[in-house]
Amino acid sequence: MTQQVKRAFKYRFHPTDEQAAELSRTFGCVRYVYNKALQERTRAWYGEQRRISYVQSSAALTQWKKTEKLAFLAEVSSVPLQQALRHLQTAFGNFAAKRAKYPRYKSRKRSRASAEYTRSAFTWRDGRLTLAKMAEPLDIRWSRHLPEGAVPSTVSVSRDSAGRWFVSLLCEDTIAPAPATDKAVGLDAGITSLVTLSTGEKIANPKHERRDRARLRRAQRELSRKAKGSANREKARRKVARVHARIADRRRDFLHKLSTRLVRENQTVVIEDLAVRNLLKNGRLARAISDASWTQLRSMLEYKCAWYGRELVVIDRWFPSSRLCGSCGTVGAKLPLNVREWTCECGAVHDRDVNAAHNILAAGLAVSACGDAVRPQRESSRTGRSSVKQEPQRATAGLPHL
């Protein structure tokens, strides 16, 4: 059964000098309005114990434009400024629901330069996009086609740190479910191999950041030698940003191809709930873990499984997948990372990653069948013995030994 989804299509474009100047002014005004509204809401709460709503912020924006000091806000389209206030309202909502930290100010150097336009602030005619305050349409590089008959409901324009311009068009799209299959796969994330499948296949880690590390090092060295505030320093900064953008683009492209393949080939995909933020505290492995980008892969699997009618099962992070014997169900002692192969008491010899992928799949199928979570207890501090041995056996009961 097909489903209608909101889908963003991102393209690169090349603005004229006039368009670039207009968009740069808009980016600055959006950042200023966001920061000023955040400052007013923070001052009102901590100084007067008073809340400011979006409606009050919008009314204040109208008054700001009438002052001589802030008259420049009226020179750009009002829609991106209103959208900035809506984004701030969303940020406060996420903070109140404890889904995020307190909203932070947008930095001119570190924050992403962007502006969002709704239907009243752009014209879409014959596949050409013209934004408010502009006389000519954007010169967009159409790398792929929009859905037939699609009309953007929202347009987001951005400029990355490398100086590249992008436009994202939010459109309604019809997604057809993928053909049904009886295959299921478990994924064990790693560094040497990006993921190991329960089929025994190991997907090599491209290590995009390591491949360009020498180029990045040279660019950063050149940047450190430039005088602060000079034009040459800005050129060197752009060069560093282009190297980072190249790494990110290659990584994203690889993960898209991998996640699409896994979703198309399997009806059920099982992964672990990794605490990547905690793993990054390991100073020796943080760089390699960041380069692997497990969180980005999980995000892609989540929305693609939802789109194409697949099931994504996430098992608990404390499940001892690596040291659980897939043959007899015994939980072995803790395994250091340098131990890639181990032998169980029953005589079975296991490849660490393949065995983990087998156990992840078995636990995921059990979770899918019973709708319960696999969360074994930690080891007992009094006895020194593991208390998780029986739990994995129960979770895999009735399943073939993989």
Side-chain angles (χ1 to χ4, degrees):
M1 182 178 179
T2 60
Q3 58 175 324
Q4 294 288 329
V5 299
K6 288 279 190 178
R7 189 172 182 179
F9 295 83
K10 190 175 182 178
Y11 304 93
R12 191 172 177 182
F13 74 98
H14 299 282
T16 63
D17 293 341
E18 293 77 9
Q19 290 173 339
E22 177 64 28
L23 289 173
S24 296
R25 284 195 298 271
T26 303
F27 294 160
C29 292
V30 166
R31 183 180 62 252
Y32 183 88
V33 167
Y34 185 95
N35 289 343
K36 186 170 179 59
L38 175 57
Q39 180 184 30
E40 291 297 323
R41 295 180 72 148
T42 303
R43 179 192 57 79
W45 174 252
Y46 287 101
E48 308 170 14
Q49 293 294 301
R50 178 173 58 88
R51 298 180 184 272
I52 297 181
S53 65
Y54 161 75
V55 175
Q56 293 171 316
S57 296
S58 180
L61 174 60
T62 303
Q63 298 302 319
W64 296 343
K65 292 180 181 180
K66 296 178 181 180
T67 62
E68 182 179 355
K69 181 180 179 181
L70 303 181
F72 64 89
L73 294 177
E75 297 176 1
V76 301
S77 173
S78 62
V79 172
L81 307 185
Q82 294 289 346
Q83 291 299 101
L85 297 180
R86 290 190 175 93
H87 294 164
L88 179 61
Q89 180 66 28
T90 301
F92 271 103
N94 291 334
F95 169 71
K98 298 183 178 181
R99 292 190 296 266
K101 295 182 179 180
Y102 192 82
R104 296 182 297 179
Y105 293 101
K106 292 184 179 294
S107 168
R108 176 180 298 178
K109 295 182 178 180
R110 298 181 180 180
S111 298
R112 176 171 169 264
S114 64
E116 186 175 276
Y117 296 79
T118 57
R119 288 295 301 274
S120 61
F122 67 85
T123 302
W124 176 261
R125 183 178 296 115
D126 298 329
R128 308 188 67 172
L129 177 67
T130 306
L131 300 178
K133 303 287 185 177
M134 295 184 185
E136 301 177 0
L138 299 181
D139 182 16
I140 301 175
R141 298 295 187 260
W142 298 102
S143 55
R144 56 175 173 166
H145 296 291
L146 287 175
E148 186 176 356
V151 177
S153 59
T154 304
V155 171
S156 297
V157 183
S158 61
R159 182 186 61 216
D160 67 6
S161 58
R164 302 180 301 175
W165 296 83
F166 295 94
V167 59
S168 180
L169 311 178
L170 186 64
C171 306
E172 287 278 357
D173 193 15
T174 302
I175 302 294
T181 177
D182 58 353
K183 293 182 179 180
V185 67
L187 275 61
D188 177 62
I191 295 177
T192 304
S193 298
L194 182 63
V195 290
T196 301
L197 309 185
S198 55
T199 59
E201 180 184 358
K202 294 187 177 182
I203 308 296
N205 187 354
K207 299 180 181 179
H208 298 288
E209 188 272 339
R210 175 172 289 186
R211 289 168 56 187
D212 280 349
R213 188 170 295 177
R215 179 180 300 181
L216 181 61
R217 187 183 297 115
R218 287 194 300 269
Q220 290 174 329
R221 188 181 299 118
E222 292 177 6
L223 174 63
S224 67
R225 294 170 178 169
K226 307 301 180 184
K228 292 186 177 181
S230 66
N232 285 335
R233 184 176 179 85
E234 177 60 21
K235 292 179 183 178
R237 187 200 63 78
R238 287 284 180 91
K239 188 174 182 180
V240 173
R242 283 196 294 269
V243 178
H244 280 295
R246 171 190 174 98
I247 295 171
D249 290 346
R250 288 183 170 185
R251 181 188 297 123
R252 189 185 309 108
D253 179 70
F254 178 82
L255 294 179
H256 267 301
K257 292 175 179 177
L258 174 60
S259 59
T260 299
R261 174 200 156 188
L262 294 173
V263 170
R264 285 179 176 175
E265 294 179 354
N266 302 279
Q267 187 68 34
T268 303
V269 180
V270 187
I271 61 176
E272 286 183 292
D273 182 22
L274 296 175
V276 178
R277 182 175 298 179
N278 294 336
L279 295 174
L280 289 175
K281 296 177 182 179
N282 185 328
R284 297 177 59 186
L285 298 177
R287 195 168 189 174
I289 293 174
S290 298
D291 193 19
S293 194
W294 299 329
T295 302
Q296 190 174 16
L297 176 60
R298 172 175 173 172
S299 176
M300 292 179 180
L301 289 173
E302 285 177 346
Y303 78 78
K304 290 180 181 181
C305 285
W307 278 1
Y308 298 109
R310 302 310 199 195
E311 181 182 15
L312 180 67
V313 181
V314 182
I315 66 171
D316 191 86
R317 67 186 60 169
W318 301 114
F319 180 69
S321 57
S322 296
R323 53 196 180 95
L324 171 66
C325 178
S327 299
C328 67
T330 301
V331 178
K334 291 185 177 181
L335 297 175
L337 288 177
N338 62 335
V339 177
R340 310 314 301 173
E341 189 175 278
W342 61 283
T343 303
C344 180
E345 298 174 353
C346 66
V349 180
H350 298 293
D351 178 285
R352 178 193 183 110
D353 297 332
V354 175
N355 177 67
H358 287 171
N359 292 328
I360 289 172
L361 174 60
L365 294 178
V367 170
S368 179
C370 67
D372 197 3
V374 178
R375 187 183 181 94
Q377 299 176 359
R378 294 174 181 260
E379 294 185 1
S380 172
S381 59
R382 290 182 295 178
T383 63
R385 299 177 58 186
S386 173
S387 61
V388 302
K389 182 175 180 179
Q390 292 78 14
E391 182 66 21
Q393 291 177 336
R394 183 187 65 81
T396 57
L399 297 174
H401 290 303
L402 302 176

